[in-house]
Amino acid sequence: MITVALSKGRLFDDFVSYLEKYELYKYSKVLKDESRALYTIVDDIRFIFAKGPDVPVYVERGVADIGIVGSDILEEEVFSYLNVSGLPFGKCHFAIAGPPDVEHFNTVASKYTNIARKYFNDQQQPVSLIHLNGSVELAPILGLADGIVDIVQTGNTLRDNGLIEYEKILDVQARLIANKQTFYTKEDSIYEFLSEIGVIE
Ligand code: PRP
Ligand code: MG
């Protein structure tokens, strides 16, 4: 049995679409089940449905053997894992955004304060960062911050909140990560699964 940690939310939907595109219905059919169960088993693969930032925690601790997670999460926090490969979905990017008239970003709100800090440090631009847990677009609307550092995918959230993108910071995509030990001790089962889903030849 191998355990595969999946991120709930948009990345999960992208993974299911990817499986369907390659006609891997054996997995997609089960994953699309509407149940509230947080894990499901297909043959000898156990899929667990976790919050994105928790996927590398399960993988690092070895309770999941592999994980599918956005590179945003892997860039924001340091975890110990094997970087197996990028995946052809979950593509988006980090950007600085704000109302259309910002001259200088003195205060920036973000769920990703480490990524934001690194960016402004690299620019040698002093900034005050405010950590929020989501819906960060509210911060410049309410006057809590001049702007935000956040993920942009379709651009709909920015547009619907009257914000514009000022600068792209970093590309984001889904990544496949593995536990440093079990990637070798469970090598055969992991390779079989990865080749089945087209991640390796
Ligand atoms: C993410 C991100 C942006 C939005 C980008 O938020 O933080 O707000 O999606 O996608 P778009 O460009 O396609 O609109 P999410 O809905 O995941 O919620 P959260 O920010 O509250 O965590
Ligand atoms: Mg958001």
Side-chain angles (χ1 to χ4, degrees):
M1 171 83 76
I2 63 166
T3 299
V4 180
L6 301 177
S7 312
K8 294 199 288 190
R10 229 182 276 200
L11 201 58
F12 176 81
D13 298 336
D14 283 358
F15 179 52
V16 172
S17 304
Y18 165 86
L19 292 173
E20 286 178 332
K21 181 171 161 197
Y22 292 100
E23 301 181 354
L24 299 160
Y25 301 117
K26 171 173 132 187
Y27 297 119
S28 66
K29 206 160 49 89
V30 177
L31 293 175
K32 278 172 85 171
D33 180 8
E34 294 284 314
S35 155
R36 292 284 301 161
L38 294 174
Y39 71 93
T40 187
I41 295 170
V42 189
D43 296 342
D44 55 357
I45 312 291
R46 175 170 58 183
F47 293 98
I48 62 165
F49 312 121
K51 287 281 183 188
D54 296 337
V55 166
V57 176
Y58 292 118
V59 171
E60 178 179 283
R61 301 276 177 148
V63 295
D65 302 297
I66 58 182
I68 292 177
V69 63
S71 60
D72 53 324
I73 285 157
L74 303 174
E75 301 265 2
E76 174 64 13
E77 244 192 282
V78 179
F79 299 98
S80 178
Y81 57 86
L82 280 179
N83 217 335
V84 180
S85 79
L87 296 169
F89 53 86
K91 291 192 177 158
C92 48
H93 65 274
F94 275 104
I96 304 176
D101 53 355
V102 183
E103 275 168 25
H104 197 78
F105 290 97
N106 293 306
T107 310
V108 165
S110 187
K111 186 157 93 175
Y112 300 87
T113 35
N114 292 330
I115 288 170
R117 187 175 304 110
K118 181 171 186 317
Y119 175 80
F120 288 107
N121 275 346
D122 289 350
Q123 304 289 309
Q124 301 190 326
Q125 195 180 327
V127 71
S128 163
L129 295 170
I130 298 172
H131 185 268
L132 294 175
N133 287 298
S135 303
V136 299
E137 293 82 1
L138 286 171
I141 295 171
L142 299 176
L144 178 67
D146 302 316
I148 59 173
V149 164
D150 200 17
I151 287 172
V152 180
Q153 191 170 34
T154 61
N156 288 342
T157 310
L158 289 183
R159 199 169 40 251
D160 290 353
N161 290 290
L163 306 177
I164 60 163
E165 184 172 330
Y166 280 81
E167 207 157 329
K168 177 172 162 175
I169 294 186
L170 191 67
D171 279 312
V172 173
Q173 71 173 126
R175 296 206 65 88
L176 196 129
I177 61 170
N179 176 266
K180 283 182 166 175
Q181 278 87 42
T182 68
F183 190 68
Y184 300 104
T185 55
K186 297 186 182 178
E187 192 180 15
D188 292 349
S189 319
I190 291 174
Y191 269 70
E192 192 185 329
F193 174 68
L194 294 186
S195 67
E196 204 174 9
I197 65 166
V199 171
I200 56 168
E201 306 242 312

